[in-house]
Each structure stands twice: as C-alpha cells, then as structure tokens.
Amino acid sequence: MANNGGGCGGCCKKTGPGYATPLDAMSGPKESLIYVTCVYTGTGIEKPDYLATVDVDPNSPNYGKVIHRLPMPYVGDELHHSGWNSCSSCHGVPSADRRFLVLPSLVSGRIYAIDTKENPKAPALYKVVEPEEIVQKTGLAYPHTAHCLATGEIMVSCLGDKEGNATGNGFLLLDSDFNVKGRWEKPGHSPLFGYDFWYQPRHKTMISTSWGAPAAFTKGFDLQDLADGLYGRHLHVYSWPGGELKQTLDLGNNGLIPLEIRFLHDPSKDTGFVGCALTSNMVRFFKTEDDSWSHEIVIQVEPLKVKNWILPEMPGLITDFLISLDDRFLYFVNWLHGDIRQYNIEDPKKPVLTGQVWVGGLISEGSAVVAEKEDGATYQFDVPDVQGNKLRGGPQMIQLSLDGKRLYATNSLFSAWDKQFYPGLVEKGSHILQIEVDTEKGGLAVNPNFFVDFGAEPDGPVLAHEMRYPGGDCTSDIWV
C-alpha cells in the first residue's frame, strides 16, 4: 500500500477498524472494558509494570473491578501512554485490524505490542521492541505517544536520546509487525523538544508539542531546569506525510510546557488546542489565510495564592485534555488545583465554562496547604468521598465515553512527579473515578457508585495512568 498518509481512496470497502466519521463513533457500543497502564517503576516496589483490564459494565458482577493483570517481562519500564496498531484512520482498509495495543515504556525505552483480540478481557504479550534496536537504528529513546497511520505503520514520538538529551528526540516509525523502520521526520527536521503529536491529513499537517529533556523531567520538576532551558514552549508544524519541519511556533513565557495536543475531530477543520501545563492555559492553534499556522490563548487558569506550599503561588497544571467526538465540548484537568472542567467549544475562539467538579488536589479540605483570597481569608475546596474513600492526588489522565456522557479519570502523572507533589499517592495507590456528564446544558458530577481502587492490588499500591477502550476512543482515533 502506498505511503500517502491519507485514506486508501474509493477502491476500498469501508470494512476496516473504527468508524467512518467521528459522529458515527458516538453511536458505537457502550464501553464495558478499559485497559489501564499501571506503574510500579519509581514507587519502591520492585515488580513489573502491568496492563490492567477493568470491568466498567454496570450490569456485570465485577463492575468497577480489575479483572485481569498482564505484567510486563521486565522491571523498571514506566509504562505511560498507549495507542493502537490500527484505528479509524484505517477504516477504509479491509485488511486492517485493531488488534494490538501499543505500550511505549517512557523510562526503559521498550515498546510492547499487546494482543487484545484473542481474549479482550485477558490481553497477551505479542512482541517486545527492545531499546537497543531502536537506539542502534534511529538514536531515539524515551518513547511516549503512539499513533497508527493509514498506511498500517505506527508512529511513536520519542523525547530524547539514550543519554536523556532533548536534542536527540524525534519520531520513530514501526511497520505493521513492529519492526523498526527508522525515523519518520526528514534528516535535520527534528523538533526542539518532544512529547505529543496529532495529524490532520486533509490539511497535510502534523503538529507536535514539547515537554522537556528526559535528563531533567525524570528527576522530578526543578525550576532551575526551566531557567536552564531544559523545558519546551514550542509547537512544531510538519508537512504530512512528508516529515519536513515547516514552522516552529514559539508560545513564549505564556505557553510553558505544552503537553497534550488535539485537532478537532472533524478532519476538514484546521484548528485545535494544546494544553500548556506550567502556565495553565489552553492555546488554540489555527491555519491562517497564507497557509501558515498561528495561535492564541483562549482559556487561562489563574494561579492561586497559597500558604504552606513550596511556592507562594500554585499553577493549576493542565496535564491532560480531550475533545468530545462531536467537537462540542473540551475537558481538561488541573492536576495541582484538583478540578476537572468542561467547556463548550462550539465557537473554538471563545470557549465557555459549562461544568466543573473537584476530585482531589493539593488544596482539598484537611490538607496543610490553603489558598488565600485578596483580603487574606483562607479557603480549601470540598472534595467528596467516593464509596467511603478519600480521593488521592489530583485528576490527571481522562477518557470520555463515545457518547460523551461518562468521563473517566486517573490520578498519576509520572512516578518521579507523583512522589514530589503527591507522596501519599505513591504510598496509597491510584484510583479511577467516573464523572457523569450533562451533554445538554453542560455540567459534571461524580458518580458515587464507581471507584476503582489501585491501592489494594496484589503486589501493593500501584500508579494508574492512561486508559483505552478496546474499540478506540476520542484520543486514540484520527479521521482522514
């Protein structure tokens, strides 16, 4: 099949994986299973990380429980994000099959392919791509985001070289059987820093974001590393599928550490959003009349004045966000403040806050940290208990049901940062919450009957990160 980066044209019957359009996906089956990456790396428990299967069918006797655990064959991986070998970008390819979940290991550099087809409730290890092969053939290390391409290939962003320098970062290309093909970008066209990426084939564009140098962020967050230029503030605009770096957007001091990036799902749209973690704002990017790309801040989360913390002001720290499949709502988390927000983005230039719920954070009632008003009065946020459990950490990774009515949230960011900001999370383990979503008028509410407790795992408390449905979701699938 030709490497054209788009669909397969009119010659193919639409019998591949996923859905023909994002709106078709909204009518897909209700989720009954979630795959969750679970991390022991960095916690002091010398056990392999694993992929958990969680039952989320409310009619099941195992509702809200981990029903299977697939341990990786090594210790020290730091599983993090996940993607599919094939998704809706291959919907027009009859031979394509959404079978393998791709698990890049952020610290060890391994990439695991997990077979979910034989038994979706009990996935099995299919293949391991060893870091030595990746380094030898590409120089890349610290793999992060995996997206399938319409060609059947798999593309993985890598955040540095094996020494942890950002200058070695770029994009790894695997073939359909997870053999290393090389780098995706053309020589000399690597980004300044690596992290997430999203492509929009109809606009012949891919845009990537910037976390920082692995040598810096793997130790925890240090403001000196920021001052030393070891964290990013740029978006990198590439030709798709050509791999030429066409433009670098400097977000400046108002766009520090841009992490997750999403185009609108409608493949005809030429706009999207990126969440800047440290400056805690949502930046909209868009194509201009001359076919270049520009950006503007459309949501700003103001830092809170606080007492009893490491700094006098606390940023919200937007670490994840997503967009509903109908492009109506945007959801993001403030990992430090502890709230999840819902915005109506029917006018992408002017998002409107329509829902907000507090599910953790450093300023929850009973914490040593308090927020301070202008008049000096102090306050904390009321965070509910769920099934008798006090909520730990702050909301971090989120996943939305296809119909947009249920939002799931985990609370681990990265083990070194968890230990730094939420040491109790490492000691007591993660959890998954379900947030009920009002898609008519807007609004968010915690489901009091759903709580997945990773503090009670057989080998001890574990950190839970990204979530995936077996049939794809709004952060895994791209339409062409």
Side-chain angles (χ1 to χ4, degrees):
M1 181 175 167
N3 185 352
N4 58 16
C8 63
C11 63
C12 299
K13 295 178 182 179
K14 293 185 176 180
T15 55
Y19 304 88
T21 71
L23 294 180
D24 287 345
M26 294 191 76
S27 301
K30 184 177 179 181
E31 71 280 1
S32 60
L33 299 174
I34 296 182
Y35 300 131
V36 189
T37 51
C38 294
V39 178
Y40 278 127
T41 303
T43 67
I45 297 177
E46 292 298 311
K47 294 287 185 177
D49 301 344
Y50 60 93
L51 183 70
T53 306
V54 178
D55 188 329
V56 294
D57 179 358
N59 298 314
S60 167
N62 292 316
Y63 179 57
K65 295 180 181 178
V66 178
I67 59 172
H68 185 263
R69 300 167 185 86
L70 175 67
M72 299 302 106
Y74 301 95
V75 173
D77 283 319
E78 185 106 24
L79 296 182
H80 198 63
H81 282 211
S82 57
W84 288 105
N85 71 306
S86 188
C87 75
S88 292
S89 66
C90 305
H91 184 68
V93 184
S95 60
D97 189 11
R98 190 196 305 266
R99 177 169 187 162
F100 300 108
L101 190 64
V102 184
L103 302 183
S105 302
L106 188 53
V107 170
S108 73
R110 291 185 189 91
I111 298 175
Y112 296 102
I114 308 300
D115 189 345
T116 67
K117 186 159 188 181
E118 292 299 317
N119 186 350
K121 291 185 178 181
L125 179 64
Y126 170 71
K127 193 169 186 177
V128 182
V129 186
E130 293 291 353
E132 292 80 9
E133 181 186 6
I134 298 172
V135 169
Q136 179 187 358
K137 293 181 177 179
T138 68
L140 295 167
Y142 298 91
H144 186 271
T145 299
H147 278 302
C148 64
L149 310 187
T151 58
E153 297 162 311
I154 299 143
M155 184 165 145
V156 184
S157 62
C158 295
L159 277 54
D161 62 17
K162 62 184 176 62
E163 281 79 34
N165 300 306
T167 50
N169 85 93
F171 304 94
L172 172 67
L173 204 59
L174 304 174
D175 71 14
S176 59
D177 198 38
F178 305 97
N179 298 301
V180 176
K181 294 188 70 173
R183 286 185 180 238
W184 170 79
E185 77 274 17
K186 290 190 178 300
H189 288 253
S190 298
L192 298 169
F193 291 93
Y195 188 68
D196 197 21
F197 69 97
W198 198 277
Y199 60 90
Q200 199 78 322
R202 293 191 194 177
H203 294 280
K204 299 178 180 178
T205 296
M206 183 276 273
I207 302 180
S208 70
T209 62
S210 312
W211 186 4
F217 69 70
T218 53
K219 300 180 300 182
F221 181 69
D222 187 336
L223 280 172
Q224 187 59 49
D225 289 335
L226 181 71
D228 291 342
L230 296 178
Y231 284 94
R233 63 182 203 183
H234 296 85
L235 302 182
H236 307 92
V237 182
Y238 282 88
S239 64
W240 184 266
E244 294 182 11
L245 182 59
K246 293 291 190 181
Q247 191 178 352
T248 300
L249 299 177
D250 187 347
L251 305 182
N253 290 328
N254 292 319
L256 298 177
I257 313 185
L259 294 181
E260 309 298 332
I261 186 168
R262 326 278 186 214
F263 270 94
L264 293 181
H265 295 291
D266 181 341
S268 70
K269 300 297 185 183
D270 60 359
T271 191
F273 299 87
V274 60
C276 298
L278 192 57
T279 43
S280 302
N281 44 32
M282 294 300 305
V283 171
R284 182 180 80 94
F285 57 86
F286 53 94
K287 188 189 280 189
T288 64
E289 291 181 357
D290 66 359
D291 277 351
S292 65
W293 294 79
S294 189
H295 63 93
E296 63 178 353
I297 296 172
V298 291
I299 302 170
Q300 179 66 57
V301 177
E302 296 299 334
L304 296 177
K305 189 177 180 182
V306 293
K307 290 182 175 180
N308 308 323
W309 197 54
I310 55 176
L311 295 171
E313 287 191 336
M314 181 189 293
L317 212 73
I318 299 174
T319 51
D320 193 24
F321 85 96
L322 53 77
I323 298 171
S324 62
L325 285 165
D326 56 7
D327 291 333
R328 286 184 62 220
F329 291 106
L330 180 150
Y331 302 84
F332 71 75
V333 302
N334 287 303
W335 190 56
L336 296 182
H337 287 180
D339 59 316
I340 301 175
R341 299 190 185 193
Q342 175 197 45
Y343 285 81
N344 184 304
I345 56 167
E346 289 174 290
D347 181 354
K349 299 176 183 178
K350 296 180 180 179
V352 177
L353 181 64
T354 50
Q356 185 175 23
V357 65
W358 298 91
V359 291
L362 289 169
I363 317 173
S364 57
E365 281 191 355
S367 166
V369 182
V370 295
E372 189 175 15
K373 297 179 180 178
E374 288 187 10
D375 63 4
T378 60
Y379 64 97
Q380 293 179 316
F381 297 111
D382 182 20
V383 175
D385 290 356
V386 180
Q387 294 186 345
N389 297 282
K390 291 197 174 299
L391 301 188
R392 309 183 283 267
Q396 212 291 108
M397 296 303 294
I398 49 177
Q399 190 54 264
L400 187 66
S401 60
L402 296 180
D403 63 9
K405 295 180 179 179
R406 293 165 302 284
L407 188 73
Y408 297 87
T410 57
N411 50 3
S412 167
L413 173 58
F414 178 67
S415 63
W417 292 38
D418 293 346
K419 283 191 291 187
Q420 182 177 1
F421 294 102
Y422 289 111
L425 181 61
V426 178
E427 296 166 8
K428 298 180 180 179
S430 285
H431 50 59
I432 304 178
L433 305 176
Q434 187 189 81
I435 311 299
E436 297 168 338
V437 179
D438 185 335
T439 58
E440 300 288 326
K441 301 176 182 177
L444 302 173
V446 177
N447 179 352
N449 300 313
F450 184 92
F451 185 84
V452 184
D453 187 1
F454 287 97
E457 286 294 271
D459 286 325
V462 73
L463 301 172
H465 195 66
E466 184 152 66
M467 298 165 283
R468 289 271 173 246
Y469 307 135
D473 49 66
C474 67
T475 59
S476 68
D477 281 35
I478 293 176
W479 279 265
V480 299

